[in-house]
């Protein structure tokens, strides 16, 4: 998306922004149930269709490909990075996850949120006063996944793999 390109440009210029730092999940477009027909991409998108939870990464690392094509963590610098996110046991339960996005830059939560997890989407005084994300940052990439129903205590792990 366009804001992902802006984030990349700011990083390349050496401006004081952080790279990919957060993953958001949401229930998005309820009509999306067929994996062969995802919603049309929108390069102007700046957020998820309906963000429900967001979490800060727990690990960022360089990756390299082994002889069988698997990506492995490495201490050496490569052109591939992995950004790892985990939504633990009780986080974001009871929602149907149809979309996720990776954000970077100046992501901020409302003042009362002091942990890595924020619920309820982007705060707005009138339209979403319970949202815990104060500033969403730059949306780097968004993906749609069909009807992943997270009803009860399960863990979701997402890894953003970026090859430059």
């Amino acid at each position: 998306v366009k804001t992902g390109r802006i984030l990349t440009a700011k990083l390349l210029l050496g401006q004081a922004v952080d790279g990919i730092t957060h993953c958001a999940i949401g229930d998005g477009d309820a009509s999306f149930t067929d994996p062969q027909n995802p919603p049309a991409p929108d390069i102007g998108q700046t957020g998820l269709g309906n963000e429900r939870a967001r979490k800060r990464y727990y690990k960022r690392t360089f990756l390299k490909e082994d002889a069988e094509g698997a990506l492995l963590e490495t201490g050496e610098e490569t052109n591939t990075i992995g950004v790892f996110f985990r939504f633990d046991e009780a986080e974001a339960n009871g929602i149907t996850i149809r979309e996720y996005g990776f954000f970077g830059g100046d992501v901020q939560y409302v003042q009362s949120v002091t942990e890595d997890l924020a619920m309820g989407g982007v705060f707005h005084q009138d339209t979403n006063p319970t949202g815990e994300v104060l500033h969403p940052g730059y949306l780097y990439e968004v993906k749609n996944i069909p009807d992943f129903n997270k009803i009860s205590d399960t863990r979701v792990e997402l890894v953003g793999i970026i090859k430059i």
Side-chain angles (χ1 to χ4, degrees):
V1 295
K2 286 182 182 177
T3 59
R5 293 175 183 175
I6 293 169
L7 176 61
T8 302
K10 285 179 169 257
L11 290 167
L12 290 172
L13 284 173
Q15 293 188 359
V17 296
D18 205 352
I20 295 173
T21 57
H22 291 78
C23 178
I25 55 176
D27 49 21
D29 183 350
S31 68
F32 176 43
T33 57
D34 178 0
Q36 301 303 315
N37 294 303
D42 177 5
I43 195 159
Q45 190 169 349
T46 59
L48 299 185
N50 189 27
E51 182 175 326
R52 300 285 302 274
R54 180 183 291 233
K55 196 158 186 189
R56 186 171 180 79
Y57 72 91
Y58 72 88
K59 177 172 54 175
R60 294 190 292 191
T61 186
F62 286 107
L63 303 173
K64 70 176 179 179
E65 197 170 322
D66 70 9
E68 296 169 1
L71 290 172
L72 307 171
E73 293 181 41
T74 181
E76 63 188 74
E77 295 176 348
T78 68
N79 67 335
T80 305
I81 61 167
V83 186
F84 295 75
F85 304 91
R86 180 181 298 134
F87 291 86
D88 290 319
E89 298 287 331
E91 298 170 348
N93 284 333
I95 67 171
T96 299
I97 301 169
R98 291 192 189 91
E99 61 180 352
Y100 66 89
F102 299 120
F103 292 81
D106 51 353
V107 175
Q108 296 174 17
Y109 294 168
V110 296
Q111 189 173 10
S112 61
V113 178
T114 58
E115 301 296 321
D116 289 338
L117 176 71
M119 301 297 290
V122 179
F123 172 83
H124 185 278
Q125 184 67 40
D126 300 321
T127 59
N128 191 20
T130 60
E132 294 182 344
V133 177
L134 183 62
H135 188 276
Y138 296 96
L139 175 62
Y140 181 78
E141 180 180 49
V142 66
K143 296 285 186 185
N144 293 290
I145 52 177
D147 280 341
F148 172 58
N149 222 338
K150 190 173 188 287
I151 300 293
S152 61
D153 290 338
T154 58
R155 186 170 72 183
V156 176
E157 184 143 352
L158 296 164
V159 180
I161 297 174
I162 298 99
K163 190 169 190 172
I164 307 297

